[in-house]
Amino acid sequence: MKKLIIIILLGLLGCGPESNEEKKYDYSVVNNSGVTVEIRPLVNGVKEINNKITLENGKVLNKKLTDHAPYGGFSMGSLFTTTGCCLTHLEITFNNSKKVIYTPCNETFNCNTQPRNIFGSEFNNEQTEIYTITADDYQNAIDCGGNCN
């Protein structure tokens, strides 16, 4: 009986996820808008000036991430914050004259109503994702009437 209990316990211990399991993620943002863009994360509604990213036309922002079991996953928001916490908006400014602001998807905001929202499921459902900022994004952005900062 004692041997049977030991065999059962050893079998149960072997059923859990292994700690060395991992998933690799590769996220990129490509600027093909024709102008320089600045990308600013807003954390808890406040612009993170120190985390501003300037992306010249034709340049790529890339981040490779590793997720360990149990998997929590990543999204495009992981490119713009170091903590992954509390990202409430992402502001993309075009040549300091036009901008667009994207809000992450959640239970109160269905970001899929904005087809080009960087947080939309079509840009966040695979382990390798590429989001391209296009000339149409620039044309459709809101004019700041001068300096967007």
Side-chain angles (χ1 to χ4, degrees):
M1 182 69 170
K2 197 175 198 181
K3 288 182 183 179
L4 181 61
I5 292 174
I6 291 173
I7 291 171
I8 291 172
L9 286 175
L10 289 174
L12 290 175
L13 290 174
C15 292
E18 293 184 27
S19 61
N20 63 352
E21 290 181 36
E22 58 186 37
K23 284 186 180 179
K24 302 282 185 180
Y25 291 81
D26 187 354
Y27 287 124
S28 297
V29 174
V30 179
N31 180 11
N32 284 343
S33 68
V35 298
T36 298
V37 298
E38 290 181 347
I39 304 170
R40 288 183 193 84
L42 282 80
V43 174
N44 291 321
V46 177
K47 285 184 185 180
E48 291 281 304
I49 303 300
N50 294 336
N51 290 330
K52 175 184 81 170
I53 297 164
T54 301
L55 204 54
E56 301 290 328
N57 186 54
K59 298 296 182 183
V60 177
L61 169 66
N62 177 265
K63 197 173 204 180
K64 293 178 184 353
L65 304 159
T66 302
D67 195 12
H68 298 278
Y71 304 115
F74 292 102
S75 71
M76 279 291 178
S78 303
L79 284 169
F80 309 105
T81 64
T82 54
T83 63
C85 174
C86 313
L87 181 66
T88 54
H89 299 84
L90 192 66
E91 179 182 271
I92 300 175
T93 305
F94 299 86
N95 240 17
N96 200 25
S97 63
K98 294 177 134 186
K99 71 179 172 182
V100 63
I101 298 174
Y102 294 125
T103 303
C105 303
N106 59 42
E107 50 283 338
T108 59
F109 179 72
N110 179 0
C111 67
N112 293 326
T113 60
Q114 292 178 307
R116 293 286 302 146
N117 190 325
I118 194 168
F119 300 108
S121 60
E122 66 271 26
F123 306 115
N124 292 279
N125 60 358
E126 300 292 333
Q127 286 176 252
T128 299
E129 291 288 355
I130 300 171
Y131 180 85
T132 302
I133 302 171
T134 66
D136 284 343
D137 293 327
Y138 173 57
Q139 293 301 318
N140 294 326
I142 298 169
D143 193 324
C144 296
N147 185 348
C148 287
N149 294 320

